[in-house]
Amino acid sequence: MRILLVSDEESKYIWDFFQKDRFEDIDLIISCGDLKQDYLSFLVTMIKAPLLYVHGNHDYGYIERPPQGCECIDDKLVVINGIRILGLGGSMKYKECPFLYTEKEMQKRINKLKLKLFLNRGCDIIVTHAAPKDISDEKDLCHEGFKCFVNFMDKYSPKYFFHGHVHLSYGMKPRKVSYKNTIVVNAYDHCIIEY
């Protein structure tokens, strides 16, 4: 399965210079947040693949007008072509705003999914907006990652952890990092993962 990951910045390569043949083999699109509703609707229309998304810290516009033709997987575990995908959007709380959570609040969200995780024997992919703490995050509160995401990987060993929020343009961060049995991928702008 070929997965197109997008996050944080609308890709000019895709949006301004779209060529259908470059994306004919895409089976699934996953957004890790902070993208315009129209961009996600464009992707799901032009690329004939389902689009799953989680909320980023700037996606409060989705409350009034969610992206058309796309499925929000925040606080859900979905199965696509036999692949178990769990979604937990949002980032660290640095002000009062939707989709911002304290460490304790994010852990509570994970706890609510424990039965689904048990019944599905874990998950293959976790999709978040924020990064796991001390793996792909930044040190400022806004871009700090969640420790409970690291604990999640320790317990469930998903094959992949997809996130956004930390722009690769912020510094010389790698797109992919290995953590134990999990490959952590920063979806900034766009990239394609072969599952």
Side-chain angles (χ1 to χ4, degrees):
M1 175 183 272
R2 282 175 68 79
I3 303 172
L4 172 63
L5 298 178
V6 293
S7 188
D8 297 289
E9 192 169 295
E10 293 77 18
S11 171
K12 289 183 179 183
Y13 173 80
I14 297 174
W15 208 2
D16 294 351
F17 305 103
F18 185 79
Q19 291 184 15
K20 188 174 183 160
D21 59 314
R22 293 178 179 165
F23 302 98
E24 285 179 347
D25 58 353
I26 297 298
D27 302 300
L28 179 64
I29 307 163
I30 295 177
S31 169
C32 294
D34 280 355
L35 292 167
K36 294 176 184 170
Q37 299 97 315
D38 293 341
Y39 181 65
L40 296 189
S41 298
F42 169 83
L43 291 175
V44 79
T45 301
M46 301 304 287
I47 301 171
K48 298 302 178 193
L51 191 152
L52 309 177
Y53 71 90
V54 295
H55 293 103
N57 57 308
H58 299 297
D59 287 338
Y60 28 87
Y62 287 27
I63 297 168
E64 295 289 321
R65 191 173 69 87
Q68 296 291 307
C70 307
E71 182 182 352
C72 179
I73 59 166
D74 256 340
D75 303 311
K76 295 179 186 172
L77 193 155
V78 298
V79 180
I80 306 284
N81 296 343
I83 299 171
R84 302 159 298 167
I85 305 169
L86 182 109
L88 288 165
S91 69
M92 190 63 75
K93 188 173 229 165
Y94 56 93
K95 65 180 181 176
E96 286 301 322
C97 210
F99 314 125
L100 300 181
Y101 305 92
T102 64
E103 181 75 39
K104 190 175 180 180
E105 289 168 337
M106 187 60 78
Q107 182 61 59
K108 204 179 232 184
R109 292 173 69 197
I110 292 171
N111 291 345
K112 288 181 181 177
L113 291 163
K114 281 186 176 179
L115 180 59
K116 286 185 181 179
L117 285 160
F118 174 76
L119 294 174
N120 285 278
R121 297 188 180 121
C123 70
D124 303 300
I125 297 171
I126 178 169
V127 179
T128 69
H129 181 60
K133 186 164 178 59
D134 297 329
I135 295 176
S136 299
D137 64 341
E138 293 286 337
K139 299 306 170 203
D140 62 299
L141 181 60
C142 177
H143 297 96
E144 184 180 334
F146 289 99
K147 176 70 174 144
C148 57
F149 289 168
V150 178
N151 297 339
F152 184 96
M153 290 188 285
D154 289 340
K155 181 171 184 175
Y156 295 103
S157 287
K159 183 170 183 173
Y160 285 105
F161 186 114
F162 299 150
H163 73 88
H165 195 46
V166 180
H167 296 204
L168 292 177
S169 57
Y170 290 168
M172 298 302 294
K173 289 217 177 270
R175 184 173 293 279
K176 295 179 186 176
V177 176
S178 291
Y179 175 79
K180 296 186 179 178
N181 298 319
T182 304
I183 300 168
V184 178
V185 182
N186 186 335
Y188 172 74
D189 190 294
H190 81 282
C191 69
I192 295 173
I193 298 293
E194 189 79 51
Y195 185 97

